[in-house]
Amino acid sequence: MTHRVTLIPGDGIGPEITAATIHVLEATGIRFSWDQQAAGAEGMERRGEPLPDPAIESIRSTGVALKGPLATPVGPGHRSVNVALRMEFDLFANLRPVKTIIPGRCYEDIDLVMVRENTEGLYVGVEHFVAIGDDPRAVAESTAVVTRLGCERIVRYAFEYALEHGRKLVTLVHKANILKMASGLFLEAGRAVAREYEGRIGFNDRIVDNAAMQLVLHPQQFDVIVTTNMFGDILSDEMAGLVGGLGLAPGANIGPKTAIFEAVHGTAPDIAGRGLANPAAMMLSASLMLDYLDEHEAAERVQDAVIRSIRDDDVLTHDLGGEATTSEFADHVAKMVRG
Ligand code: NAI
């Protein structure tokens, strides 16, 4: 079987880490038909828009995309393509697993998964200024939009993920003591869903500030964390920090019919084009994609090869204190994947 996948190499280090990742995916022996599309700065250059229609149509038709990072201007300029893709394809679940790869750092044996709601909450962009006197921006108001259906589907996704991946506990993170409605509804809907899984998957909840502290003090008490958009955004970076930073943090954005896989990091313009980029996070994202495509054995092989290259064989890119170039790392991982 050949898997049709949309490929967006992206900007900055995107093309380098994408080439490295394709090299590893092809070493699995699985057949892919890549539909390569431009977006971000490359989309602007080639087609005058950051998210050209052919890229959207391709993702709609394949249902799966592997994506490099895209440059988003700060302040004025085009809207984030990543947010636009989330909305276009209703990519409601943002999945970010973090796992200890390099031993001897602050924490050992970390193996956590963040399931973040990706389309609601404070990030819906419902905000405005209120003028007072001659100050047009005297007050800023932002509205969090939280729906019962949105809460139920993300919590159900977390439980189904836990069941499928042999996880034991789902922790719902909220701030229902203060945000009695926006966070209260999330907790209420989440508790109702949790009852459906009683006896199969454990469930508890934590207030977000306590969760942030507990992640630093005793991260091993968590397994799968499910939370709303902004808390998930912040806590998932904290979790990436527990295992050595962005170079090792993969991600997936999953919707009812579509999924887009990408590393958590950005375009790293400071090192682009120099063979210094660490492609591990994108390779681990590709492993999540293999899992989604039901290629579980290959997913495991890619993940193992990345981990063993770093942990056992000491093949380290510059960000991890080594000398290996992007393509040297890819060659090593590909060789291990071939076995
Ligand atoms: P960044 O993640 O690109 O870089 C932060 C630091 O981490 C830099 O020093 C960079 O060299 C380093 N770094 C990141 N990935 C690395 C890798 N794979 N190997 C080695 N070092 C790595 O974040 P920054 O600088 O805030 O953003 C740069 C651009 O990326 C912006 O235009 C931003 O909008 C975009 N961005 C895109 C994302 C996406 O498309 N998913 C996500 C985050 C940022």
Side-chain angles (χ1 to χ4, degrees):
M1 177 184 178
T2 301
H3 296 287
R4 284 181 65 233
V5 177
T6 302
L7 183 68
I8 300 177
D11 304 319
I13 59 170
E16 298 161 70
I17 59 173
T18 301
T21 302
I22 300 293
H23 183 36
V24 166
L25 282 173
E26 292 188 339
T28 61
I30 290 167
R31 286 207 298 270
F32 293 94
S33 157
W34 302 108
D35 183 11
Q36 187 163 329
Q37 296 290 336
E42 201 202 349
M44 286 299 284
E45 232 168 72
R46 293 202 182 179
R47 296 190 164 260
E49 44 185 343
L51 185 54
D53 286 344
I56 295 180
E57 286 317 314
S58 170
I59 299 172
R60 202 183 307 288
S61 137
T62 61
V64 187
L66 182 62
K67 177 183 152 305
L70 301 175
T72 305
V74 176
H78 66 76
R79 186 175 165 226
S80 160
V81 175
N82 298 314
V83 173
L85 283 171
R86 258 175 239 165
M87 295 307 175
E88 179 73 33
F89 294 106
D90 193 19
L91 304 173
F92 69 90
N94 181 225
L95 185 71
R96 291 186 179 180
V98 297
K99 212 175 157 90
T100 300
I101 295 187
I102 308 173
R105 302 224 166 171
C106 303
Y107 301 94
E108 302 286 344
D109 302 328
I110 298 231
D111 187 3
L112 305 173
V113 179
M114 165 61 76
V115 176
R116 161 189 168 194
E117 204 293 323
N118 222 7
T119 54
E120 299 193 338
L122 258 183
Y123 287 11
V124 290
V126 180
E127 50 182 3
H128 60 258
F129 289 113
V130 178
I132 298 181
D134 57 3
D135 183 355
R137 297 177 166 216
V139 180
E141 290 182 353
S142 296
T143 304
V145 176
V146 174
T147 66
R148 186 181 298 281
L149 278 180
C151 298
E152 286 172 353
R153 76 171 171 173
I154 193 68
V155 177
R156 186 163 284 114
Y157 180 87
F159 274 98
E160 288 296 323
Y161 179 92
L163 275 180
E164 214 174 291
H165 292 83
R167 300 272 173 174
K168 303 275 180 278
L169 175 69
V170 171
T171 301
L172 182 150
V173 172
H174 62 91
K175 188 76 185 176
N177 53 330
I178 305 292
L179 301 170
K180 292 191 185 295
M181 294 187 190
S183 222
L185 178 58
F186 183 66
L187 179 59
E188 177 186 306
R191 281 181 171 154
V193 171
R195 279 196 283 279
E196 297 170 23
Y197 295 85
E198 236 167 41
R200 294 185 287 165
I201 302 285
F203 175 73
N204 60 14
D205 70 271
R206 291 273 181 280
I207 292 174
V208 63
D209 35 353
N210 182 30
M213 182 183 70
Q214 294 297 331
L215 270 169
V216 175
L217 287 178
H218 306 294
Q220 288 85 355
Q221 73 185 276
F222 297 102
D223 191 355
V224 175
I225 294 176
V226 63
T227 190
T228 43
N229 209 336
M230 187 169 74
F231 296 158
D233 188 10
I234 298 166
L235 292 182
S236 59
D237 269 31
E238 183 186 359
M239 285 160 58
L242 300 177
V243 298
L246 289 176
L248 302 172
N253 297 286
I254 311 232
K257 292 195 205 141
T258 314
I260 300 181
F261 297 84
E262 63 179 339
V264 171
H265 63 71
T267 59
D270 49 333
I271 57 166
R274 294 162 55 198
L276 295 176
N278 183 355
M282 192 169 186
M283 290 175 184
L284 294 171
S285 308
S287 162
L288 296 177
M289 180 183 83
L290 288 169
D291 219 11
Y292 180 83
L293 295 171
D294 283 334
E295 300 285 3
H296 304 296
E297 181 274 330
E300 191 97 328
R301 242 188 311 147
V302 168
Q303 179 180 273
D304 274 5
V306 170
I307 293 175
R308 281 165 46 218
S309 298
I310 295 173
R311 188 190 58 202
D312 303 340
D313 299 352
D314 231 18
V315 182
L316 304 176
T317 43
H318 280 69
D319 55 312
L320 299 178
E323 302 267 297
T325 63
T326 310
S327 57
E328 282 165 0
F329 183 78
D331 287 342
H332 192 89
V333 175
K335 208 164 112 197
M336 294 187 97
V337 165
R338 269 187 227 105

mmCIF file of all heavy atoms in Angstrom, residues 269-286:
data_model
loop_
_atom_site.group_PDB
_atom_site.id
_atom_site.type_symbol
_atom_site.label_atom_id
_atom_site.label_comp_id
_atom_site.label_asym_id
_atom_site.label_seq_id
_atom_site.Cartn_x
_atom_site.Cartn_y
_atom_site.Cartn_z
ATOM 1 N N PRO A 269 15.795 30.661 12.125
ATOM 2 C CA PRO A 269 16.491 31.390 11.056
ATOM 3 C C PRO A 269 17.978 31.581 11.350
ATOM 4 O O PRO A 269 18.796 31.689 10.414
ATOM 5 C CB PRO A 269 15.758 32.734 10.987
ATOM 6 C CG PRO A 269 14.920 32.822 12.225
ATOM 7 C CD PRO A 269 14.693 31.441 12.710
ATOM 8 N N ASP A 270 18.346 31.584 12.640
ATOM 9 C CA ASP A 270 19.760 31.814 13.002
ATOM 10 C C ASP A 270 20.687 30.695 12.525
ATOM 11 O O ASP A 270 21.893 30.907 12.381
ATOM 12 C CB ASP A 270 19.895 32.007 14.535
ATOM 13 C CG ASP A 270 19.178 30.940 15.361
ATOM 14 O OD1 ASP A 270 18.185 30.365 14.878
ATOM 15 O OD2 ASP A 270 19.621 30.671 16.497
ATOM 16 N N ILE A 271 20.151 29.498 12.273
ATOM 17 C CA ILE A 271 21.036 28.392 11.858
ATOM 18 C C ILE A 271 20.634 27.795 10.500
ATOM 19 O O ILE A 271 21.210 26.795 10.067
ATOM 20 C CB ILE A 271 21.079 27.259 12.922
ATOM 21 C CG1 ILE A 271 19.664 26.722 13.209
ATOM 22 C CG2 ILE A 271 21.755 27.717 14.207
ATOM 23 C CD1 ILE A 271 19.678 25.399 13.978
ATOM 24 N N ALA A 272 19.668 28.436 9.833
ATOM 25 C CA ALA A 272 19.135 27.845 8.589
ATOM 26 C C ALA A 272 20.201 27.742 7.502
ATOM 27 O O ALA A 272 21.053 28.627 7.368
ATOM 28 C CB ALA A 272 17.976 28.685 8.089
ATOM 29 N N GLY A 273 20.174 26.657 6.767
ATOM 30 C CA GLY A 273 21.044 26.482 5.601
ATOM 31 C C GLY A 273 22.463 26.098 5.934
ATOM 32 O O GLY A 273 23.330 26.077 5.053
ATOM 33 N N ARG A 274 22.745 25.782 7.204
ATOM 34 C CA ARG A 274 24.140 25.510 7.581
ATOM 35 C C ARG A 274 24.379 24.070 8.015
ATOM 36 O O ARG A 274 25.460 23.721 8.502
ATOM 37 C CB ARG A 274 24.560 26.479 8.706
ATOM 38 C CG ARG A 274 24.588 27.925 8.198
ATOM 39 C CD ARG A 274 24.564 28.954 9.321
ATOM 40 N NE ARG A 274 25.629 28.754 10.297
ATOM 41 C CZ ARG A 274 25.632 29.284 11.518
ATOM 42 N NH1 ARG A 274 24.615 30.035 11.905
ATOM 43 N NH2 ARG A 274 26.625 29.066 12.343
ATOM 44 N N GLY A 275 23.368 23.241 7.882
ATOM 45 C CA GLY A 275 23.527 21.824 8.258
ATOM 46 C C GLY A 275 23.617 21.612 9.759
ATOM 47 O O GLY A 275 24.080 20.573 10.226
ATOM 48 N N LEU A 276 23.178 22.615 10.541
ATOM 49 C CA LEU A 276 23.298 22.516 12.011
ATOM 50 C C LEU A 276 22.007 22.048 12.673
ATOM 51 O O LEU A 276 22.002 21.683 13.843
ATOM 52 C CB LEU A 276 23.649 23.900 12.593
ATOM 53 C CG LEU A 276 24.996 24.499 12.216
ATOM 54 C CD1 LEU A 276 25.131 25.909 12.793
ATOM 55 C CD2 LEU A 276 26.133 23.615 12.728
ATOM 56 N N ALA A 277 20.897 22.069 11.917
ATOM 57 C CA ALA A 277 19.586 21.817 12.542
ATOM 58 C C ALA A 277 19.460 20.364 13.010
ATOM 59 O O ALA A 277 19.933 19.440 12.361
ATOM 60 C CB ALA A 277 18.479 22.127 11.547
ATOM 61 N N ASN A 278 18.793 20.225 14.136
ATOM 62 C CA ASN A 278 18.508 18.891 14.673
ATOM 63 C C ASN A 278 17.171 18.408 14.083
ATOM 64 O O ASN A 278 16.129 18.989 14.377
ATOM 65 C CB ASN A 278 18.405 18.985 16.202
ATOM 66 C CG ASN A 278 18.180 17.636 16.840
ATOM 67 O OD1 ASN A 278 18.001 16.633 16.156
ATOM 68 N ND2 ASN A 278 18.183 17.598 18.160
ATOM 69 N N PRO A 279 17.191 17.358 13.279
ATOM 70 C CA PRO A 279 15.936 16.902 12.660
ATOM 71 C C PRO A 279 15.156 15.923 13.532
ATOM 72 O O PRO A 279 14.128 15.384 13.113
ATOM 73 C CB PRO A 279 16.423 16.204 11.384
ATOM 74 C CG PRO A 279 17.776 15.667 11.749
ATOM 75 C CD PRO A 279 18.367 16.574 12.802
ATOM 76 N N ALA A 280 15.625 15.667 14.782
ATOM 77 C CA ALA A 280 15.020 14.618 15.617
ATOM 78 C C ALA A 280 13.536 14.873 15.886
ATOM 79 O O ALA A 280 12.714 13.957 15.815
ATOM 80 C CB ALA A 280 15.780 14.492 16.936
ATOM 81 N N ALA A 281 13.179 16.134 16.193
ATOM 82 C CA ALA A 281 11.777 16.416 16.533
ATOM 83 C C ALA A 281 10.870 16.150 15.333
ATOM 84 O O ALA A 281 9.763 15.630 15.483
ATOM 85 C CB ALA A 281 11.634 17.867 16.994
ATOM 86 N N MET A 282 11.360 16.482 14.132
ATOM 87 C CA MET A 282 10.516 16.212 12.957
ATOM 88 C C MET A 282 10.436 14.709 12.684
ATOM 89 O O MET A 282 9.396 14.194 12.279
ATOM 90 C CB MET A 282 11.025 16.961 11.735
ATOM 91 C CG MET A 282 10.007 16.936 10.611
ATOM 92 S SD MET A 282 10.420 18.042 9.293
ATOM 93 C CE MET A 282 8.950 17.906 8.266
ATOM 94 N N MET A 283 11.540 14.005 12.914
ATOM 95 C CA MET A 283 11.510 12.541 12.736
ATOM 96 C C MET A 283 10.530 11.906 13.732
ATOM 97 O O MET A 283 9.798 10.986 13.384
ATOM 98 C CB MET A 283 12.910 11.950 12.937
ATOM 99 C CG MET A 283 13.864 12.305 11.813
ATOM 100 S SD MET A 283 15.526 11.700 12.184
ATOM 101 C CE MET A 283 16.425 12.371 10.785
ATOM 102 N N LEU A 284 10.525 12.408 14.968
ATOM 103 C CA LEU A 284 9.592 11.869 15.969
ATOM 104 C C LEU A 284 8.146 12.237 15.607
ATOM 105 O O LEU A 284 7.216 11.468 15.861
ATOM 106 C CB LEU A 284 9.948 12.378 17.370
ATOM 107 C CG LEU A 284 11.305 11.881 17.915
ATOM 108 C CD1 LEU A 284 11.670 12.613 19.207
ATOM 109 C CD2 LEU A 284 11.285 10.368 18.165
ATOM 110 N N SER A 285 7.957 13.399 14.967
ATOM 111 C CA SER A 285 6.617 13.762 14.477
ATOM 112 C C SER A 285 6.205 12.797 13.369
ATOM 113 O O SER A 285 5.043 12.392 13.272
ATOM 114 C CB SER A 285 6.598 15.196 13.931
ATOM 115 O OG SER A 285 7.117 16.096 14.870
ATOM 116 N N ALA A 286 7.172 12.438 12.516
ATOM 117 C CA ALA A 286 6.885 11.477 11.443
ATOM 118 C C ALA A 286 6.533 10.117 12.033
ATOM 119 O O ALA A 286 5.713 9.377 11.479
ATOM 120 C CB ALA A 286 8.081 11.371 10.502
#
